[in-house]
Amino acid sequence: MHHFNLNPKLYLVTDRCWLGERSLAVSVEAAIQGGVTLVQLREKEVASGAFLNLAQDVKAVTDRYGIPLIINDRVDIALAADAAGVHLGLEDLPVQAARKLLGPHKIIGASAATLEEAAAFQKQGADYLGVGAVFPTATKLGNETVNLDDLRKIKSAITIPVVAIGGIKAENAASVMRTGVDGVAVVSAIMNQSDIRVAAMRLMSILKEA
Amino acid sequence: MHHFNLNPKLYLVTDRCWLGERSLAVSVEAAIQGGVTLVQLREKEVASGAFLNLAQDVKAVTDRYGIPLIINDRVDIALAADAAGVHLGLEDLPVQAARKLLGPHKIIGASAATLEEAAAFQKQGADYLGVGAVFPTATKLGNETVNLDDLRKIKSAITIPVVAIGGIKAENAASVMRTGVDGVAVVSAIMNQSDIRVAAMRLMSILKEA
């Protein structure tokens, strides 16, 4: 369907709030050097112009490494930055509306928390699913709605790639991968680490062994 | 350039915070019945999916009256709703980036506070300018940066339509129109009135006489 080689094995979702003095582009580069296979730029509190600038900065890095860049929510930013695609949450544009704007060759990911949602998004033309939250996260406590058994059931019923998300870190990543999912998406397990490259390397080696 | 007949004489910018129990679509319809010639949907605190729903609801009304609907900031929402165009503030996407996504036939408006900004946006391909704030507004005090003399100078130097914005109401609308601008944009002078239709009618009769 699309030109990009979608490998969501270690999927980095950005969150600048963990970065302190480090720039986002530099942090993303370190994460890619550590093995991240897909990057999502997620920015909730930024104006459109600044979001586009940030997307362009990060895309200069992801392009250099041949890693697809996914933009959270904003189809216009994805188009303006010529990113690889978008990730849509339940409150974002419907998958079909985004597909109409993006055309057949861009990646559209969608967030699902149940098998019903997952099946619906697959039917609507999503290219991959982010499923969770599997564990409580640093930013959202008590939001875990998908356990490992649910994850296994969703994965076995769905043909597009399934990425687990929510509180995944080195300590629990192997148990998540053993459900059969295609990858894990992480925020703080990479972004909140003092050595981002090493954190990504460590996670990737766990994913490969699992 | 575009298919729409751009008449910005009485330009309604929406703000749901004034509406109380009234729905946005019903309020916009009353404003159009009172004489509003152009409508901008401005929503800052809403998720993308809800913004699209709202845009579709309002567009059903504006279409019925042949009034163009402009979407604030969000090019993707404008495209998905097939609105007439977008209005871009200084923190939004650059005019050229929006034009690339929207094509030659959609309306692009831009906010300018100086003659330099106005000339730059005209050069970049904006179809009209919103210039202000002319007077202090209910939501932003002390933000008036364009006086009536500035407005006159900007209007005489610019060839695309110039719409004045910022604290314009029945009491001062005539003085604004006498600067030569093509129209006035209002929020609370229509949205915050108990009878929206009558408020718009009263404003329009002042604009016509000025």
Side-chain angles (χ1 to χ4, degrees):
Chain A
M1 195 82 165
H2 41 71
H3 294 313
F4 299 96
N5 190 10
L6 180 61
N7 174 4
K9 187 148 193 161
L10 181 52
Y11 187 179
L12 174 68
V13 179
T14 68
D15 188 339
R16 283 192 294 172
C17 85
W18 304 115
L19 290 179
E21 298 291 295
R22 298 173 289 187
S23 94
L24 188 60
V26 166
S27 303
V28 167
E29 179 157 22
I32 292 172
Q33 288 172 342
V36 157
T37 57
L38 189 60
V39 174
Q40 178 186 140
L41 181 61
R42 183 162 69 179
E43 290 293 326
K44 284 293 181 195
E45 303 298 333
V46 75
S48 300
F51 196 174
L52 177 58
N53 288 340
L54 207 54
Q56 288 167 331
D57 286 352
V58 172
K59 185 161 180 283
V61 172
T62 54
D63 277 358
R64 207 150 65 230
Y65 291 86
I67 298 291
L69 175 65
I70 304 292
I71 304 293
N72 185 268
D73 177 15
R74 293 290 300 267
V75 173
D76 47 359
I77 303 294
L79 286 168
D82 192 25
V86 295
H87 186 88
L88 303 173
L90 284 170
E91 298 201 312
D92 299 336
L93 291 187
V95 170
Q96 300 103 316
R99 180 62 74 197
K100 238 188 239 179
L101 301 181
L102 290 164
H105 301 303
K106 297 284 189 187
I107 297 168
I108 298 181
S111 296
T114 65
L115 179 54
E116 291 67 32
E117 286 172 6
F121 284 132
Q122 173 172 273
K123 202 174 163 189
Q124 288 161 27
D127 295 301
Y128 76 86
L129 297 175
V131 177
V134 182
F135 304 108
T137 67
T139 37
K140 298 178 196 167
L141 282 168
N143 67 327
E144 63 279 21
T145 50
V146 180
N147 62 34
L148 296 180
D149 199 47
D150 299 329
L151 208 52
R152 194 175 292 110
K153 284 177 189 153
I154 291 173
K155 171 59 195 170
S156 66
I158 294 290
T159 56
I160 58 176
V162 170
V163 186
I165 188 166
I168 298 168
K169 48 192 170 186
E171 291 71 22
N172 58 32
S175 67
V176 173
M177 283 307 280
R178 284 193 293 266
T179 64
V181 294
D182 301 278
V184 300
V186 299
V187 188
S188 61
I190 289 180
M191 297 298 270
N192 193 23
Q193 308 305 309
S194 53
D195 192 324
I196 284 177
R197 194 178 64 88
V198 167
M201 283 179 65
R202 187 172 168 217
L203 268 170
M204 186 45 114
S205 81
I206 292 166
L207 300 182
K208 279 183 176 161
E209 279 169 33
Chain B
M1 196 81 166
H2 42 72
H3 293 313
F4 299 95
N5 190 11
L6 179 61
N7 174 4
K9 188 147 191 161
L10 181 52
Y11 188 179
L12 174 68
V13 179
T14 67
D15 188 338
R16 283 192 294 171
C17 84
W18 304 116
L19 290 180
E21 300 291 297
R22 299 173 289 187
S23 93
L24 188 59
V26 166
S27 303
V28 166
E29 179 157 21
I32 291 172
Q33 289 172 340
V36 157
T37 57
L38 189 60
V39 174
Q40 178 187 140
L41 181 61
R42 183 161 69 179
E43 291 292 326
K44 285 294 182 192
E45 304 299 331
V46 75
S48 299
F51 196 174
L52 177 58
N53 289 340
L54 206 55
Q56 289 167 331
D57 286 351
V58 172
K59 186 162 179 284
V61 173
T62 54
D63 277 358
R64 207 150 67 231
Y65 292 87
I67 299 290
L69 175 65
I70 305 291
I71 305 293
N72 186 270
D73 177 15
R74 294 289 301 266
V75 173
D76 47 0
I77 303 294
L79 287 168
D82 191 25
V86 295
H87 186 88
L88 303 173
L90 283 170
E91 299 200 312
D92 299 337
L93 291 187
V95 170
Q96 300 102 316
R99 179 63 74 199
K100 237 187 240 178
L101 301 181
L102 289 164
H105 301 303
K106 296 283 190 187
I107 297 169
I108 298 181
S111 295
T114 65
L115 178 54
E116 291 66 34
E117 286 172 8
F121 285 131
Q122 174 171 274
K123 201 174 164 189
Q124 288 161 27
D127 294 303
Y128 76 85
L129 297 175
V131 177
V134 182
F135 303 109
T137 68
T139 38
K140 299 177 195 167
L141 282 169
N143 67 329
E144 62 278 21
T145 50
V146 179
N147 63 33
L148 295 181
D149 199 46
D150 298 330
L151 208 52
R152 194 175 291 113
K153 285 176 188 153
I154 291 173
K155 171 58 195 172
S156 65
I158 294 291
T159 56
I160 57 176
V162 170
V163 186
I165 187 164
I168 298 169
K169 48 192 172 187
E171 291 72 21
N172 58 31
S175 67
V176 172
M177 283 306 280
R178 284 193 293 265
T179 65
V181 294
D182 301 277
V184 300
V186 299
V187 188
S188 62
I190 290 180
M191 297 298 271
N192 193 23
Q193 308 305 309
S194 53
D195 191 325
I196 283 177
R197 193 178 65 87
V198 167
M201 282 179 66
R202 185 171 168 221
L203 267 170
M204 186 45 115
S205 81
I206 292 167
L207 300 182
K208 280 184 177 162
E209 279 170 30

